[in-house]
Every structure is written in structure tokens, then in C-alpha cells.
């Protein structure tokens, strides 16, 4: 707490994913051998066609402010992508390009929430949903799901969490941190509840749509009766490995898109122009061109699940997408390892960092205090070495 700073920022938590990544970086700089499995960041390089498009954009003298909500050509590419991959039809006035999906989500919270509005968060949920909501005056309401149900909520649990103050629901499928993928039937069952409460806006975060090992990706907005109340969030960080390029986008009901455009016009003036030009080319390529990344993630999932199964007290399910495992490690609570007593997932993650030199993220940050998140967006050698060290540290 610093009284010189605003209440807003004093009350806000630091992003646990970014904090752990910073800590791991700091320890590495001190010469410690740290394997980073904390950040959800593909370790592949950017496809050549994306690099070429960015270089060409610079040569073509793209340098000025773009339209606040994105270049017309980029919106066109996004509209084509939504149609091609998600069976969604949007007009240009329904699309807003932002500085990462994170900004898309922050815009949505700012334009939709009033003080005291409740935000339904199927838990575990992505780390920033809660603080982005709090910052906009919203109140996060967790709907807990455990490893026994593959971390997916039931329609009954959703309905039980709804109150007259419920304004928004945010979820990701494939899910960060659990890797769970909602099937068409499961999403339809949630939609059947939501249609009874027309004031609730659904934010469907589909940034991992292509990193799906079970097949079908289903967009909530593709259900006709949900289209007018759903915002589809996506971006190029995960599918094209373009994390640092900071491009995300939404397809939304027009009044919401307009509001996001207005918000962004006062806050950033729009996303980086070179990254936008490169995104046009990225989206024009068929998702099959990045299948090699998905295949590699699938292999690594098999590898890490196999290695984790050899470690006593670590309970995993089989994640169906994204590049995370979210094991339940509550077996270790109350146990003393190398003179240190583990009271929480936070203690457990710190123990792994300091004793095994492996960076992970505590599940508390994702709304599940029994788990930790391990990102397997790392080389097979790093995964093998990391799991060997974890096994030794927990022996
Ligand atoms: N949603 C989820 C579920 C994520 O994991 C991330 C992490 N990058 C984001 C949104 C934000 O992505 P971006 O890099 O586009 O801001
Ligand atoms: N989304 C990634 C993660 O969950 C990147 C970090 C972040 O944006 O917070 O690790």
C-alpha cells in the first residue's frame, strides 16, 4: 500500500503470471539455472510470412495512426476468419482491434460494468479476468469447478450463481489455466441457462481456439440465440506466436464495439500499425499452416503428463487444449519438505522455484487454491529436466 497512489491501483493485484516470469528472469540473471514453465507463451518463432509482411509494411511507409478500431483491410481479414473458422458473421462496425486480447477484455469491462455489477467467472479462470473486472468497479463471482469435472462448470452451478446484479460472464475455451474444452453439448447447456437471463453479456475468450486436441471448437456466438449477447475475443498471441506484437480483436454487438472504439480512442488511439499489417497476412493463412505447432504441443502434453504421473501426490486430468496442465497438489499441504512446510499452492510454487529451479504459477491466481499451473510451451528437453528436478525436490 502506498498512500501516494490511487486506491484503484493499491487494491489491484499484480498479474501472477507476469510476476512469476519476472522473478524467474531475475534469478536467471543472477546466474541461477531456472526452467521457466510459468508464462503461457509459445516458444516457436513467428511464421516467415508474418515477418515478411511486417518488413513490407515498414517499406511501404506505414507509420501513421491507423483508424482507432483497426485498418479496414484488417477488419476484413478478421471478418473472413470469423466466418471461415467460427461460422460467425460480423460487419466491420462490429469489429475492434486492440493492443492484445488483454486490452480487448479491459475495454469490455470498462464499457459494460457499473460499480457493483457482478461478473460470473467459471473457475479456474484466466488470471486477469478478476482484476480487469475489479478495476472497472465489477465484483468477480467465482463458479468453482474441480479436477473431478475436468474443471468445467455445470448449468446448475451457473444458474445458482446468477443474481439480479449479474452483468457479464467471462470464460475461455480452450481454458487457460486448465486446458479444458467445452463441447458443443456442454456449451449449449450453459446457453440454455443464459437465454433465460437476457441482461447478462457473455465474453467468450477464444484465444486458444486452434490449440485444441479434441477436434471441434465451438463459439458461443454461433448459437443463434446467443449472438446478440456474446462478444467473441481472439488474438494472434497464441496461434501465431505473436505475443509481443500485441494484437487482439473482438467481434461484438455493434453498440458494444462502438463503445470499445470510443474507450480506446481516449486511451491508446489504436493498435500498432505495423503489427496490424502483419496480422492481416497471418489471418489470411489457413489455420492448417500452424498445425505443426499444435502437433508439437500435443506431443509435449503426452510427455509432461507421463512424467507427472510418476510423481506421488500430483493429480492431473487430461487437458484437451491450450498448453497448460493444472495439477491438484493439495496432497502436499501440511507436509514438510527440506525443512519447509507447504501451507498453500503459493508455498508449493515458491518451493519448486527455489529448490528445483522450476517456475510455475500458483493456482490461487486462477481461482483454485489446490492447484498450480504448469505451461508446457517449452522444449521437450526443458520439460524432461524440469520434471526430473520437481520429482527430486518432492521425494
Ligand atoms: N486470454 C487468455 C485466456 C490468455 O491466456 C491470454 C494470454 N496471453 C490473453 C487473453 C491475452 O492475450 P494477449 O497477448 O492477446 O493480450
Ligand atoms: N496469457 C499468458 C499466461 O497466462 C501470458 C501472461 C499474461 O498475459 O498474463 O501466462
Amino acid at each position: 500500500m502506498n498512500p501516494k497512489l490511487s486506491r484503484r491501483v493499491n487494491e489491484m493485484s499484480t498479474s501472477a503470471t507476469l510476476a512469476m516470469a519476472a522473478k524467474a528472469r531475475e534469478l536467471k540473471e543472477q546466474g541461477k539455472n531456472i526452467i521457466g514453465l510459468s508464462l503461457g507463451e509459445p516458444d516457436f518463432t513467428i511464421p516467415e510470412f508474418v515477418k515478411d509482411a511486417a518488413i513490407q509494411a515498414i517499406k511501404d511507409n506505414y507509420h501513421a495512426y491507423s483508424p482507432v478500431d483497426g485498418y479496414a483491410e484488417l477488419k476484413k481479414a478478421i471478418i473472413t476468419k470469423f466466418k471461415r473458422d467460427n461460422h460467425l458473421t460480423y460487419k466491420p462496425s462490429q469489429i475492434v482491434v486492440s493492443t492484445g486480447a488483454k486490452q480487448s477484455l479491459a475495454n469490455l469491462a470498462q464499457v459494460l460494468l457499473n460499480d457493483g455489477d457482478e461478473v460470473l467467472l467459471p473457475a479456474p479462470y484466466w488470471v486477469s479476468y478478476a482484476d480487469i473486472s475489479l478495476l472497472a468497479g465489477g465484483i468477480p463471482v467465482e463458479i468453482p469447478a474441480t479436477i473431478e469435472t475436468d474443471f468445467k462448470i455445470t448449468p446448475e452451478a451457473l444458474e445458482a450463481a446468477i443474481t439480479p446484479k449479474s452483468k457479464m460472464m467471462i470464460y475461455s475455451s480452450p481454458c487457460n489455466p486448465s486446458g479444458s474444452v467445452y463441447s458443443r453439448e456442454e456449451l449449449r447447456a450453459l446457453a440454455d441457462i443464459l437465454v433465460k437471463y437476457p441482461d447478462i453479456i457473455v465474453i467468450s475468450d477464444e484465444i486458444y481456439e486452434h490449440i485444441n486436441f479434441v477436434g471441434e471448437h465451438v463459439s458461443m456466438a454461433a448459437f443463434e440465440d446467443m449472438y446478440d449477447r456474446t462478444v467473441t475475443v481472439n488474438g494472434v498471441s497464441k496461434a501465431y506466436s505473436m505475443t509481443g506484437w500485441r494484437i487482439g480483436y473482438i467481434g461484438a454487438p455493434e453498440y458494444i464495439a462502438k463503445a470499445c472504439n470510443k474507450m480506446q480512442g481516449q486511451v491508446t488511439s489504436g493498435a500498432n500499425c505495423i503489427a496490424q499489417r502483419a496480422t492481416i497476412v497471418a489471418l489470411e493463412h489457413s489455420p492448417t499452416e500452424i498445425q505443426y505447432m499444435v502437433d508439437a504441443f500435443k506431443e509435449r502434453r503426452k510427455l509432461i503428463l507421463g512424467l507427472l504421473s510418476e510423481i506421488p501426490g500430483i493429480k492431473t486430468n487430461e487437458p484437451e487444449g491450450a498448453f497448460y496442465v493444472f495439477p491438484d497438489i493439495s496432497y502436499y499441504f501440511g507436509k514438510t519438505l527440506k525443512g519447509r512446510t507447504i501451507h498453500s499452492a503459493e508455498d508449493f510454487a515458491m518451493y519448486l522455484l527455489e529448490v528445483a529451479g522450476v517456475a510455475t504459477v500458483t493456482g490461487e491466481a486462477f481461482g483454485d487454491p489446490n492447484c498450480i499451473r504448469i505451461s508446457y510451451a517449452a522444449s521437450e528437453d526443458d520439460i524432461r529436466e524440469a520434471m526430473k528436478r520437481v520429482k527430486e525436490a518432492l521425494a
Side-chain angles (χ1 to χ4, degrees):
M1 275 294 217
N2 181 339
K4 290 187 180 163
L5 296 173
S6 68
R7 182 179 48 77
R8 260 188 320 282
V9 81
N10 273 324
E11 286 177 0
M12 193 177 182
S13 335
T14 301
S15 160
T17 46
L18 299 183
M20 195 52 148
K23 192 158 177 74
R25 215 174 282 137
E26 196 184 296
L27 290 173
K28 265 189 193 168
E29 277 162 15
Q30 290 167 13
K32 304 234 164 67
N33 184 332
I34 304 292
I35 302 177
L37 304 182
S38 60
L39 205 56
E41 172 154 72
D43 56 324
F44 296 98
T45 52
I46 289 170
E48 288 303 315
F49 52 82
V50 178
K51 292 186 199 167
D52 291 344
I55 292 164
Q56 194 57 46
I58 295 171
K59 289 190 175 155
D60 288 345
N61 290 314
Y62 280 96
H63 66 96
Y65 291 124
S66 73
V68 171
D69 51 353
Y71 286 115
E73 298 94 319
L74 176 52
K75 287 187 171 198
K76 197 167 155 230
I78 292 169
I79 288 168
T80 307
K81 174 251 157 334
F82 273 136
K83 188 102 208 140
R84 178 191 67 201
D85 302 342
N86 312 108
H87 312 293
L88 291 172
T89 306
Y90 289 115
K91 293 186 294 220
S93 55
Q94 294 179 275
I95 306 292
V96 180
V97 179
S98 298
T99 302
K102 200 179 254 182
Q103 196 204 357
S104 303
L105 291 160
N107 281 343
L108 290 164
Q110 291 293 334
V111 308
L112 288 169
L113 297 175
N114 281 318
D115 286 347
D117 283 346
E118 292 177 356
V119 181
L120 301 164
L121 298 180
Y125 50 81
W126 183 48
V127 65
S128 292
Y129 295 162
D131 277 282
I132 281 173
S133 304
L134 285 165
L135 195 59
I139 301 173
V141 175
E142 293 181 5
I143 311 174
T146 61
I147 198 163
E148 280 72 34
T149 58
D150 268 336
F151 299 107
K152 294 186 211 176
I153 60 161
T154 59
E156 295 74 29
L158 169 61
E159 187 149 36
I162 293 174
T163 75
K165 285 188 167 271
S166 305
K167 181 64 201 274
M168 211 158 106
M169 169 169 130
I170 318 180
Y171 78 99
S172 61
S173 176
C175 173
N176 178 1
S178 68
S180 301
V181 175
Y182 280 92
S183 68
R184 176 173 296 279
E185 293 69 33
E186 287 163 341
L187 270 190
R188 184 60 251 177
L190 297 182
D192 286 341
I193 302 298
L194 291 161
V195 289
K196 295 197 261 172
Y197 304 91
D199 293 335
I200 300 175
I201 307 285
V202 178
I203 313 294
S204 172
D205 181 345
E206 303 183 13
I207 198 153
Y208 294 96
E209 71 171 320
H210 296 307
I211 308 170
N212 177 337
F213 315 123
V214 290
E216 193 185 31
H217 170 77
V218 183
S219 295
M220 181 64 94
F223 295 131
E224 230 172 275
D225 52 0
M226 290 303 295
Y227 180 81
D228 284 335
R229 334 189 355 212
T230 302
V231 181
T232 310
V233 176
N234 213 321
V236 290
S237 284
K238 311 296 162 174
Y240 301 93
S241 227
M242 292 167 69
T243 42
W245 295 52
R246 313 303 307 124
I247 297 290
Y249 54 87
I250 58 168
E254 198 169 58
Y255 73 98
I256 297 178
K258 266 189 175 164
C260 290
N261 188 5
K262 180 172 157 190
M263 173 65 54
Q264 193 159 286
Q266 293 286 22
V267 179
T268 62
S269 304
N272 173 289
C273 71
I274 304 300
Q276 283 194 58
R277 302 307 304 180
T279 300
I280 298 174
V281 175
L283 294 179
E284 280 171 355
H285 280 72
S286 149
T288 52
E289 293 195 40
I290 50 151
Q291 189 58 37
Y292 65 95
M293 295 193 207
V294 184
D295 293 342
F297 286 133
K298 197 169 174 185
E299 280 303 307
R300 294 172 190 181
R301 175 185 67 156
K302 191 169 154 205
L303 174 68
I304 197 164
L305 287 177
L307 295 170
L308 281 169
S309 71
E310 293 167 13
I311 306 175
I314 293 198
K315 197 157 90 186
T316 55
N317 67 334
E318 187 163 297
E320 298 175 321
F323 34 62
Y324 308 103
V325 235
F326 198 60
D328 184 317
I329 47 80
S330 56
Y331 165 84
Y332 287 95
F333 296 170
K335 298 211 163 37
T336 302
L337 301 164
K338 299 197 198 304
R340 291 164 59 146
T341 305
I342 309 291
H343 299 287
S344 62
E346 168 80 28
D347 287 350
F348 188 87
M350 288 318 286
Y351 178 80
L352 292 190
L353 180 68
E354 285 160 19
V355 177
V358 176
T360 58
V361 188
T362 168
E364 281 144 11
F366 303 93
D368 190 328
N370 289 327
C371 298
I372 59 162
R373 190 191 75 175
I374 307 176
S375 161
Y376 56 86
S379 71
E380 294 202 358
D381 285 348
D382 275 357
I383 293 171
R384 268 194 204 93
E385 173 64 18
M387 292 306 111
K388 181 169 150 264
R389 291 193 205 169
V390 170
K391 192 175 178 183
E392 280 163 12
L394 297 176

